[in-house]
Amino acid sequence: IYERRFKRSDGTTLWTIVSAAPIVSATGEYVGSFGMFTDITERKKTEEKYQTLFNTMLDGFASHEIICNSRGDPVDYRFLSVNPAFEKLTGIVAADVIGKTVLEVFPDTEPMWIEVYGKVALTGEPIHFENFTKALNRYYEVSAFQPSPNQFACIVKDITSRTIAEEERAKLVEQIQQAQKMESVGRLAGGVAHDLNNLLTPVLGYSELLLNEKIADEIRKGAVEQIINAGQRAKELVRQLLAFSRKQTMEFKPTFMNNVVKDFQKLLRRTIREDIAFETILAPSIPPVKADVGQLEQVIMNLVVNAQDAMQNGGKLIVEVSHCKLDEAFTMNHEGVEPGEYVQLSVSDSGHGMDTETLSHIFEPFFTTKEVGKGTGLGLSTVYGIVKQHNGSILVQSEPGKGTKFLIFIPVTQEAPTSKTETMQSALELLHGDETILLVEDDENVRKLALTILERQGYQVTVATNGIEALEVLALKGETIQLLLTDIVMPKMNGRDLYERAVQMYPHLKVLYMSGYTRDIITHHGVVEEDFQFIQKPFTIRALVTKVRNELDRVV
Ligand code: ADP
Ligand code: MG
């Protein structure tokens, strides 16, 4: 049996398999022969096509026979074929290896590779991996699969240039992030400088006062306290600025988003213009995410800066942290988001918003709608990069004239935070403060409770049992009081009237009302204006300290 090519009379080629056998007579004499010709032209054509493909394809291709031990585990591979591209890419010459096994050709082959390919051999599942060959200074991408039960083949791609491009890109991204950080530091430094100036005013003023030897001891003591107070606040400001500007190497660890926002907001405030109402809303207790704190701060910073730019005539800016579970109904409508449990960080503004055309470009590097010198177009691409590094997703809701909301979802981690401060996140320690509060409440039990709670959180608390008493306290040391925490319904003077009078004397005084009546009833009766800060009695410790802290942190 053999294959034979014929030329047809029309000039085309015919491939056949020829099977021939002698015809022998009954007496054993050869009388002729018998031949059968099968047309295999089509098969030959296909084979030739594959041969050409094999020889000319740009990806390296090699096939092996799998050699197994007595237990059937693959232990080595015999080279069956190697194409020219494979020779070129790997430097392996076909003539040297065909018929030999991998271990014969490369006795030093790491058992790992035998095992890796063994997996393909055992499971029949293709694999895919990237490999850097030091000797050749090149990167390869190798896919392996099993074309038949006792064979295995691999395709090798040279991805050196792609890999180098990716590495360069990563370097560039890092540089951009660093540049962004420096830009932010510049902004923050401007804000901090302004604040430091404000803090220096009492320091210089009181120092001058102290030079006068005749002043009473009590006043002297008060002045020194003011100076120390201002000094400490200045120190804290500088510490935060330094912490932010330091180039930290990335460190992904379980982190509470609440803490990130809480710690960063004080610094952030300095960059926010006064015509913008800034509010942070934190979730009471949420699971941690695996994150790099410095990068999350950068995300918040960039979004906040954009939000401000979008509100040239003032407006409202809200940074919110919440815990959410995204189901399939949601993720189906939002490309790139997987169902699961997330911590959501959102930044919303009441600014000019965006049309769909702008929206479709915002994450592109260097895309900006701002004038030259105002925008770099790198803010959102940095945000995008960081969110991706956190395996997160980002969504934007915006309409022209209707404001913008950026929503970032970072997957919840099962890992527990290790450091002490982190684990105390749900503890009340985080809601402490050292501000001075005037507590006005006629009910002794409530008053004592609130006093104990607040003092335990570190606040300086002065108490009054009614409005008249409170006004006396204010007249005496109103300067030092930052927050008025008052019951609404009280004999002699209600909380609202008290605040009205107090705020005339001290315009910066903040107020948090409490009442046993619901918010609705109080508003309905016009006791207080619509958007007042309110806590319903009876309150929990957590509710009280949260409200107090939020109110003190609110920028007015
Ligand atoms: P830049 O702020 O330097 O322009 P960004 O990447 O931060 O660059 O933002 C790109 C563009 O996206 C902005 O120029 C603006 O058109 C738009 N944009 C971003 N955030 C907002 C927002 N909160 N409201 C309206 N437009 C926004
Ligand atoms: Mg920007």
Side-chain angles (χ1 to χ4, degrees):
I1 303 176
Y2 61 97
E3 288 182 3
R4 184 168 170 184
R5 189 172 59 173
F6 292 96
K7 252 212 163 74
R8 290 208 191 86
S9 50
D10 61 3
T12 56
T13 308
L14 169 76
W15 271 97
T16 58
I17 289 185
V18 185
S19 323
I23 303 173
V24 184
S25 74
T27 56
E29 248 173 282
Y30 171 80
V31 290
S33 53
F34 166 86
M36 195 168 87
F37 295 80
T38 316
D39 182 348
I40 56 159
T41 314
E42 281 310 308
R43 198 188 84 194
K44 267 288 169 200
K45 270 191 197 151
T46 316
E47 272 176 22
E48 269 165 19
K49 238 184 261 160
Y50 278 110
Q51 194 60 43
T52 316
L53 184 69
F54 181 78
N55 287 329
T56 56
M57 68 195 268
L58 294 176
D59 294 340
F61 180 92
S63 66
H64 304 263
E65 179 195 339
I66 302 168
I67 302 170
C68 294
N69 63 12
S70 56
R71 282 195 313 257
D73 299 334
V75 288
D76 203 352
Y77 307 93
R78 192 183 307 287
F79 282 93
L80 293 178
S81 64
V82 162
N83 76 347
F86 188 92
E87 292 183 295
K88 202 168 135 218
L89 286 179
T90 62
I92 294 172
V93 180
D96 297 346
V97 298
I98 301 292
K100 295 199 182 121
T101 74
V102 171
L103 285 178
E104 277 163 15
V105 180
F106 306 109
D108 299 332
T109 300
E110 303 210 7
M112 177 190 105
W113 294 119
I114 300 288
E115 209 176 294
V116 166
Y117 292 131
K119 272 213 185 92
V120 181
L122 281 176
T123 60
E125 299 270 325
I127 52 159
H128 191 85
F129 59 92
E130 285 177 19
N131 183 16
F132 176 64
T133 311
K134 272 210 201 80
L136 298 168
N137 220 359
R138 302 203 76 78
Y139 291 90
Y140 298 116
E141 181 185 275
V142 181
S143 329
F145 58 101
Q146 251 190 300
S148 73
N150 60 348
Q151 274 186 30
F152 119 94
C154 60
I155 290 177
V156 183
K157 272 193 174 67
D158 188 329
I159 53 163
T160 308
S161 52
R162 190 178 89 197
T163 308
I164 289 174
E166 271 166 14
E167 283 172 355
E168 267 163 14
R169 195 179 154 273
K171 245 185 251 159
L172 200 66
V173 166
E174 200 196 317
Q175 280 169 5
I176 288 175
Q177 287 189 4
Q178 186 58 15
Q180 282 278 297
K181 177 156 254 170
M182 290 335 285
E183 191 192 316
S184 308
V185 169
R187 273 184 185 249
L188 289 170
V192 169
H194 178 83
D195 261 51
L196 284 179
N197 243 342
N198 285 342
L199 291 171
L200 283 174
T201 312
V203 170
L204 295 173
Y206 284 114
S207 302
E208 211 171 315
L209 190 76
L210 287 174
L211 281 179
N212 180 343
E213 282 160 24
K214 276 184 238 110
I215 54 168
D217 274 357
E218 203 176 317
I219 297 179
R220 189 176 285 276
K221 186 162 172 274
V224 172
E225 273 168 8
Q226 294 284 350
I227 292 172
I228 292 175
N229 192 324
Q232 266 162 356
R233 277 168 58 202
K235 187 173 132 194
E236 177 62 9
L237 268 182
V238 173
R239 186 193 67 76
Q240 287 173 336
L241 185 63
L242 287 177
F244 181 75
S245 60
R246 222 180 14 235
K247 189 191 167 186
Q248 295 138 321
T249 43
M250 280 223 279
E251 191 187 1
F252 282 82
K253 57 177 189 196
T255 306
F256 287 106
M257 191 72 86
N258 271 351
N259 295 2
V260 177
V261 173
K262 234 179 104 49
D263 292 345
F264 192 48
Q265 67 179 355
K266 283 198 191 131
L267 197 56
L268 202 54
R269 291 231 141 94
R270 326 279 164 202
T271 68
I272 296 169
R273 294 195 317 270
E274 290 189 349
D275 59 347
I276 290 171
F278 174 48
E279 194 183 340
T280 55
I281 304 173
L282 303 179
S285 77
I286 50 168
V289 294
K290 202 145 191 211
D292 175 72
V293 176
Q295 289 207 315
L296 289 184
E297 287 176 344
Q298 186 70 59
V299 165
I300 299 169
M301 179 84 196
N302 290 4
L303 294 177
V304 163
V305 165
N306 281 347
Q308 276 204 87
D309 288 348
M311 298 188 285
Q312 283 312 324
N313 303 314
K316 193 163 172 70
L317 169 60
I318 304 173
V319 175
E320 183 173 0
V321 175
S322 62
H323 178 202
C324 64
K325 292 199 173 76
L326 302 183
D327 56 13
E328 265 168 41
F330 179 88
T331 55
M332 277 205 341
N333 294 319
H334 297 91
E335 207 190 323
V337 190
E338 296 284 319
E341 205 180 339
Y342 292 88
V343 167
Q344 180 189 327
L345 169 73
S346 69
V347 176
S348 53
D349 64 63
S350 58
H352 57 58
M354 287 173 267
D355 56 23
T356 43
E357 169 63 17
T358 306
L359 266 174
S360 66
H361 296 297
I362 53 173
F363 293 114
E364 291 166 15
F366 306 113
F367 174 81
T368 179
T369 55
K370 297 168 191 172
E371 333 166 0
V372 180
K374 285 266 169 62
T376 56
L378 290 174
L380 288 179
S381 59
T382 306
V383 167
Y384 186 86
I386 293 175
V387 170
K388 286 294 148 205
Q389 275 173 333
H390 286 78
N391 295 320
S393 325
I394 182 163
L395 299 179
V396 197
Q397 296 163 350
S398 187
E399 261 180 68
K402 294 210 174 136
T404 301
K405 183 170 186 175
F406 280 88
L407 303 111
I408 288 166
F409 300 97
I410 311 278
V412 161
T413 175
Q414 299 307 326
E415 250 175 86
T418 45
S419 89
K420 194 161 156 254
T421 50
E422 295 281 318
T423 39
M424 287 193 307
Q425 186 265 351
S426 55
L428 299 165
E429 268 93 324
L430 285 167
L431 298 161
H432 62 91
D434 55 8
E435 288 93 340
T436 305
I437 299 169
L438 172 56
L439 165 66
V440 191
E441 168 65 64
D442 57 331
D443 183 298
E444 193 188 340
N445 287 329
V446 178
R447 196 171 60 233
K448 274 198 173 149
L449 174 68
L451 173 67
T452 317
I453 295 173
L454 293 172
E455 281 189 338
R456 218 178 53 185
Q457 298 305 116
Y459 296 103
Q460 312 285 321
V461 187
T462 307
V463 290
T465 57
N466 59 54
I468 308 293
E469 233 182 86
L471 285 176
E472 283 166 11
V473 173
L474 283 164
L476 215 64
K477 50 176 181 176
E479 278 301 344
T480 60
I481 295 170
Q482 278 107 343
L483 176 72
L484 173 65
L485 173 61
T486 179
D487 190 12
I488 295 180
V489 186
M490 288 182 296
K492 295 186 194 162
M493 179 187 285
N494 74 30
R496 164 84 194 271
D497 291 342
L498 168 61
Y499 179 64
E500 295 266 280
R501 311 244 315 242
V503 83
Q504 270 168 24
M505 295 188 269
Y506 307 105
H508 295 297
L509 184 68
K510 290 173 167 178
V511 65
L512 174 59
Y513 293 111
M514 32 185 191
S515 178
Y517 298 100
T518 66
R519 192 184 180 104
D520 279 356
I521 293 176
I522 292 159
T523 338
H524 196 72
H525 288 84
V527 186
V528 280
E529 60 280 12
E530 283 281 338
D531 67 327
F532 57 100
Q533 300 301 316
F534 176 75
I535 181 163
Q536 167 98 50
K537 288 191 285 191
F539 44 72
T540 62
I541 297 179
R542 166 164 285 277
L544 179 66
V545 298
T546 309
K547 287 263 172 163
V548 164
R549 192 63 254 160
N550 282 351
E551 188 52 24
L552 283 168
D553 287 340
R554 203 162 61 92
V555 172
V556 284

